[in-house]
Amino acid sequence: MRYMILVCVDESVEVSPEESLPTAWVQEMDGRGVRKLGSRLRPVSDATTVQVRDGEVLLSDGPFAETKEQIGGFDLLECEDLDEAIEVASKHPGAKFGTIEVRPLWED
Amino acid sequence: MVATLIRMTGDWDLAEECGQDAFAVALERWPRDGVPRRPGAWLTTTARNRALDRLRRGATEAAKLREGAALWPRHEADDGDGEGHADGDDGTVRDDRLRLIFTCCHPALPLEARVALTLRTLAGLTTAEIARALLVSEPTMAKRLVRAKGKIRNAAIPYRVPPAHLLAERTGGVLAVLYLLFNEGYAATGGADLMRHDLCAEAIRLARALVSLMPDEPEALGLLALMLLQHARRAARVDDAGDVVTLEDQDRALWDATEIDEGLGLLDTALGQDRAGSYQLQASIAACHASAASAADTDWARIAQLYGRLAPLVPSAVVELNRAVAVAMADGPAAGLKLVQALEASGALAGYHLLPATRADLLRRLERHAEAAAGYREALELASTKAERRYLTRRLAEVTEQGRPPSP
């Protein structure tokens, strides 16, 4: 079962690199074979949103949702079930200062 | 039976439908052919065969069929016309029911869905019955159940008893759902009646099932004991007009002695395991009340002490409020009032009618009638059931009467 985890953080909150960098987590989860892919994302100041309306491409600067917490990174997991995905997500350092959303991939 | 079918097929809707089908077949055949020797086993096998038939029919369901067949021991396969030889052994059925409880109460599901799923799949209530019991419309309840079953399937919420490192936490979650169910029946938050007995009875039945499935879990025993000790007072809690009768004024002859005895026995067994938890402590408090011959004989000092032990385990303002009441009984209303006022200052229970109602009761005992009346008026604005409102109105009338200067 594949899950995408979205690591949502408040970019205005200062967190030291020791607390926030998921290096050890990545190493552990890659080693276990549960993490297939993932990356930290550049801040929303570098984001562009794209919409097509009436055939016209509309661009705007910034993230799609004006919320306090923004997606700061993602990882694609291959887990046995939701309990394993929750366990993996709860070990991510971002869970301590941000919020992690666990979403199953749409697979038929 | 549904629990077993869910394990086999991994499909909740299919399991429920085939379970119903099996009953329909039984209604048709049993009067004609006689009731089989083991009706339960017959029903399970019939339902299983239905499920396998339906899975076979759907080509896209081939994977599920393989999974289902692999989970079902080969020697129990039979001729396929629904006349089963044997059920899974009792151990298998037991494990299936336990798995089902943990899946229904999985913390990734919204609490309201956990309660609804538990009533649907464990208690076997219909969607209409659950909607009525939980005071929502039937379409809303149907949607809630569909969404919950969808999430179980799509997010792969596991169908199993959690592994050891999660067991304590998840067991707590299951107990919380059952207690919520009981409380929704015992102190209904809506509707005309103070209690809804069907929900209480269902919660007790499910707690009994859980105890038989997890006999070594003292908190499950504690919860069942707590429910029984509270439920034993049901006939005395409401008078003929449907009004609340406080513990103090209840006719103890109306208490159900059989339920009290059973509750006390269960609590003893639980406490014997020496792993006290919040349900055992709450049951111990209920036991103090249940075993007092009269209100005046109540060991309030012990109750206050039990609340003191409960508070750190259940950091809740409601527990604090109850402790204040116990302290008022043990050490006098002034001591209790001090705790109530501290609680009010914290703002933790703003909007909860029992807070001003408790303050009013203590002030009434201190004969500060005008202040008591103000408290009852505040509580009246917040209380939601008619029975509670009638009680508060009566108390308000009393203190207003007593507060009046004697007529010349």
Side-chain angles (χ1 to χ4, degrees), chain B residues 2 8 10 81 88 151 276 384:
Chain B
V2 172
M8 282 176 50
D81 72 351
K151 183 167 182 185
S384 58

Side-chain angles (χ1 to χ4, degrees), chain A residues 3-32:
Chain A
Y3 300 85
M4 175 76 85
I5 61 167
L6 304 169
V7 184
C8 306
V9 294
D10 182 344
E11 290 178 1
S12 67
V13 173
E14 291 275 343
V15 186
S16 71
E18 299 83 66
E19 286 173 278
S20 64
L21 283 181
T23 323
W25 179 85
V26 167
Q27 210 166 25
E28 181 191 343
M29 299 311 161
D30 282 354
R32 268 170 59 172

